Amino acid sequence: MVSWVTSAFVGFARACAVVAVVMLVPAVWAAAVALGIRWGAGNPWSWVAPCVLVCVGTLALSRPVCRAVRFLVRRWTATAVPSGYRRAEPVVRMSTGFWWNGFSYGRTRRDALLDQRWRIRWKDPATWRDLRFTVIAPCTAGVVAAVPPAGIAVAVLGFGRPTPVARLAGALGLAVAVAGAPYAWRLLRPVAVRFLGPLRTMALADRVDELTAQRADTTVAQAAEIRRIERDLHDGAQARLVGLGLSLATAEKLLATDPEQARALMREARVGAAASLTELRELVKGINPPVLNERGLVDAVRAFALDSPLETTVSADPELPRLDPPIESALYFGIAELLTNAVKHARADRARISLTRDGARIVVDVEDDGRGGAAEQAGGGLAGLRRRLTVFDGTLEITSPAGGPTRVRMMVPCASL
């Protein structure tokens, strides 16, 4: 009973909020019509002024109303409705002294920004989508959300009169308001998702921009990885192999005159060869661990956890199949990055890794008991991890309050699941 009363009160408040937002533009229309009627048919402004008021009021309120609707839907239902508005390009001053805003030149930065704002506003398809929504929403979500407030109004008027018919009407209005309050506002979400989301052309354009940025990030990451491999080879194994060659050449010359010194040099060369082999194996492991190719992501993560200085537990869905090699590699190095951060920065003692399946997505959760405070920074490891996952349409969620714990979730869609 208490939960129902709470739900009714919350629903009534939300219904009133929906009515106040989506009926704002129709209220302007009604005010314009009332103004024209008040001036009378003989006044030449009785039809011109209302039309101007309707057009200006609708254009001025359409975008704020749509932003308010998106906010309410996100706040109440955790459903994000993308805006899809065109982004303004940065205004750049040219060598001639004029300012370029992406469309035309302006004598001052203020003129260029003003011209850019109006051009984007009128040429943006989202502007016309917002205008369409301000017409559709009052006729759908607005009418349904107005039922509880209208019922309360009928109840107040009915109980204020002594006649039995009026009181019966008041009782019915109160019943309708209480019964419909928890549900009257819920139509706002499907209407907003259907009519307020970005147009297909804008979504495709944003997707093209996103893929272009991903390609650039991938190219930069590949170049950096190649430079790292070259540097490791040059400073490590290559230098040892050069030293090994010199030791063998010297031992060959001393073999006839000083066999003991030659044998000592050969022993050093053997140790150097073993060290070079170890470095090459570590380098190959950093490029693509053999256990990842042979046994898959789960076993590779378990092997990495055994070598980690943290007390790490790994749990995995027993029905998790082998994934595509690029996805397995991205997730493996992502987990390695997170555990390394837990050791170096969070000063953690224990970590937990979970690999599960969620429909056509693989979900990897990494949690440590460190001091928390992990934040994504430009050029940092977490930013690189996000870019690595974005290539596969994956997402990265970071929860790291001060004092810990740090929880990171990686989700990647995979066609093989």
Side-chain angles (χ1 to χ4, degrees), residues 221-243:
Q222 288 178 345
E225 186 67 14
I226 290 174
R227 288 194 298 270
R228 183 188 69 82
I229 295 172
E230 290 177 346
R231 184 175 62 253
D232 291 346
L233 286 173
H234 182 272
D235 298 339
Q238 180 179 337
R240 288 185 179 275
L241 291 175
V242 170

Side-chain angles (χ1 to χ4, degrees), residues 129-151:
R129 177 206 60 201
D130 290 351
L131 292 174
R132 181 189 63 177
F133 181 80
T134 57
V135 176
I136 294 176
C139 302
T140 53
V143 171
V144 177
V147 171

Side-chain angles (χ1 to χ4, degrees), residues 30-370:
V33 173
L35 181 63
I37 294 174
R38 182 177 180 180
W39 280 354
N43 192 327
W45 291 97
S46 62
W47 62 274
V48 175
C51 290
V52 173
L53 181 59
V54 166
C55 294
V56 173
T58 303
L59 289 174
L61 293 175
S62 60
R63 185 160 292 188
V65 166
C66 294
R67 286 175 175 168
V69 169
R70 291 190 190 92
F71 172 77
L72 294 178
V73 171
R74 183 176 66 252
R75 180 73 176 272
W76 294 341
T77 66
T79 301
V81 181
S83 61
Y85 297 123
R86 283 185 174 176
R87 302 181 184 90
E89 298 293 334
V91 176
V92 181
R93 188 172 188 179
M94 311 302 292
S95 59
T96 58
F98 288 87
W99 293 81
W100 173 252
N101 61 11
F103 301 96
S104 63
Y105 293 96
R107 291 185 177 274
T108 63
R109 187 174 186 273
R110 179 178 177 276
D111 294 340
L113 287 173
L114 184 62
D115 177 75
Q116 181 191 62
R117 186 179 300 112
W118 281 106
R119 285 178 181 270
I120 291 178
R121 186 70 179 267
W122 287 109
K123 292 185 178 182
D124 192 352
T127 300
W128 310 107
R129 177 206 60 201
D130 290 351
L131 292 174
R132 181 189 63 177
F133 181 80
T134 57
V135 176
I136 294 176
C139 302
T140 53
V143 171
V144 177
V147 171
I152 294 296
V154 171
V156 171
L157 294 176
F159 290 130
R161 296 187 178 184
T163 61
V165 176
R167 292 184 176 181
L168 177 61
L172 290 176
L174 181 60
V176 170
V178 173
Y183 313 103
W185 62 272
R186 298 182 183 274
L187 186 60
L188 183 66
R189 177 187 174 278
V191 173
V193 172
R194 172 63 180 84
F195 296 103
L196 204 53
L199 300 178
R200 181 175 177 82
T201 55
M202 293 298 298
L204 291 176
D206 291 342
R207 182 59 175 165
V208 169
D209 294 340
E210 181 182 351
L211 292 176
T212 302
Q214 291 177 7
R215 182 181 62 183
D217 289 340
T218 303
T219 302
V220 172
Q222 288 178 345
E225 186 67 14
I226 290 174
R227 288 194 298 270
R228 183 188 69 82
I229 295 172
E230 290 177 346
R231 184 175 62 253
D232 291 346
L233 286 173
H234 182 272
D235 298 339
Q238 180 179 337
R240 288 185 179 275
L241 291 175
V242 170
L244 175 63
L246 294 176
S247 297
L248 291 176
T250 304
E252 183 180 4
K253 293 179 181 180
L254 294 176
L255 191 60
T257 58
D258 192 350
E260 290 297 329
Q261 184 67 22
R263 280 194 291 270
L265 290 174
M266 293 181 70
R267 285 194 297 269
E268 294 179 1
R270 184 175 60 186
V271 173
S276 299
L277 182 60
T278 301
E279 288 187 0
L280 289 174
R281 285 175 176 171
E282 291 296 327
L283 182 62
V284 171
K285 184 179 179 180
I287 298 173
N288 199 10
V291 66
L292 186 63
N293 293 331
E294 297 170 1
R295 304 181 63 178
L297 177 63
V298 176
D299 289 339
V301 171
R302 286 182 173 139
F304 185 85
L306 291 176
D307 295 334
S308 174
L310 298 176
E311 182 182 340
T312 307
T313 59
V314 180
S315 62
D317 190 341
E319 298 181 356
L320 190 67
R322 287 293 302 267
L323 307 175
D324 297 333
I327 295 179
E328 286 190 336
S329 179
L331 292 175
Y332 174 83
F333 286 108
I335 294 172
E337 174 78 19
L338 295 174
L339 290 183
T340 302
N341 289 343
V343 175
K344 292 174 58 178
H345 306 296
R347 299 177 183 175
D349 296 321
R350 291 182 298 275
R352 182 183 61 85
I353 304 172
S354 172
L355 299 95
T356 57
R357 174 179 178 178
D358 182 14
R361 298 183 302 177
I362 180 171
V363 180
V364 178
D365 291 310
V366 180
E367 179 179 349
D368 65 69
D369 63 347

